[in-house]
Amino acid sequence: MTTFVIAVDGPSGSGKSSTARGVAQRLGLAYLDTGAMYRAMTWALLQRGTDLTDADAIARDAEDVVIVSGTDPSDPTIEADGTDVALPIRSSEVTGSVSLVAAVPHVRELLVQLQRSTIAAAEQGIVVEGRDIGSTVAPDATVKVFLVADAAARAARRTAELGGADAAATQEALARRDHIDSTRTSSPLAKAPDAVEIDGTHHTLEEVVDQVVALVEQVR
Ligand code: C5P
């Protein structure tokens, strides 16, 4: 039996995580945050002292990193090499380096394989969020959403999450990360042709969750 998959892709700060978790909770589905996996890989490589300007070193060291993601949307856990990394993966050090690590094709091969096996194990169905879910990880997903929001709204959301950091600097950092994510050669951030674009700029989280749930109801 193939798993019922809802793919939620989009740029940084578009509200993907809150939306994907909200949809999973509303529909009683599992939840997978693939961004957290790339962050956990980055954390583990920083711990090892891997030179993150060297793609070959990243590809080699990534082989030995063990990442485990929990799929309960009310408590999504993430471990790297047996350590709970839920907090450290949100540090500015990891955020500043994750796009370099995620651009290395072998890292993507390793993590996409792990993501696919997690999806296959979710018998109740799963909401998966990331950048390449509808295009690469789960091209047969039942529902594909591409969530966008204008740059200022995304920066404002991230600034609030970071407890009032500098909004202009946050907007610049998001733009830098989006640029690397969209221009890399290996499965770049892109809207799948059959994805439904939702612009959350002028909507509350509840309203965006409602829109995704309505799409799911149409196909279930
Ligand atoms: O979603 P989040 O901001 O936590 O993702 C962190 C980074 O992980 C992204 O900027 C991107 O470089 C990478 N990523 C990716 N493919 C995914 C999910 C995240 O390349 N499916």
Side-chain angles (χ1 to χ4, degrees):
M1 198 193 81
T2 49
T3 311
F4 177 77
V5 180
I6 302 173
V8 181
D9 289 303
S12 312
S14 57
K16 289 187 308 293
S17 294
S18 312
T19 302
R21 281 179 72 172
V23 170
Q25 282 176 304
R26 189 92 74 79
L27 298 175
L29 304 176
Y31 161 74
L32 182 64
D33 175 359
T34 62
M37 298 169 80
Y38 287 96
R39 287 171 178 273
M41 177 63 82
T42 305
W43 177 88
L45 296 175
L46 286 166
Q47 290 293 111
R48 281 168 164 71
T50 304
D51 176 1
L52 299 189
T53 62
D54 180 347
D56 291 337
I58 293 175
R60 185 191 62 230
D61 291 356
E63 281 281 340
D64 304 325
V65 176
V66 178
I67 290 172
V68 179
S69 315
T71 57
D72 176 351
S74 57
D75 181 26
T77 54
I78 179 87
E79 287 178 14
D81 294 333
T83 301
D84 172 358
V85 291
L87 284 179
I89 61 168
R90 305 292 159 192
S91 68
S92 54
E93 196 186 10
V94 169
T95 302
S97 307
V98 61
S99 291
L100 295 176
V101 172
V104 175
H106 189 54
V107 168
R108 305 201 70 81
E109 277 164 27
L110 293 169
L111 292 184
V112 168
Q113 196 179 21
L114 195 55
Q115 290 155 15
R116 288 187 178 146
S117 54
T118 306
I119 291 170
E123 286 168 11
Q124 75 274 44
I126 188 164
V127 185
V128 188
E129 64 148 297
R131 304 289 188 292
D132 60 340
I133 310 306
S135 57
T136 303
V137 177
D140 297 331
T142 320
V143 173
K144 297 182 186 179
V145 172
F146 195 78
L147 191 59
V148 297
D150 73 31
R154 296 195 285 122
R157 190 178 286 126
R158 263 299 139 89
T159 306
E161 277 167 19
L162 297 172
D166 178 343
T170 305
Q171 188 163 336
E172 215 176 281
L174 284 182
R176 202 176 323 119
R177 198 141 62 91
D178 287 346
H179 177 73
I180 302 177
D181 291 344
S182 314
T183 54
R184 67 177 176 231
T185 46
S186 182
S187 52
L189 165 68
K191 177 175 171 286
D194 52 347
V196 176
E197 184 165 308
I198 296 179
D199 186 338
T201 308
H202 302 295
H203 293 284
T204 64
L205 170 63
E206 279 306 299
E207 288 168 345
V208 177
V209 171
D210 286 345
Q211 287 186 46
V212 179
V213 169
L215 287 173
V216 176
E217 312 273 274
Q218 282 171 22
V219 297
R220 276 243 262 209

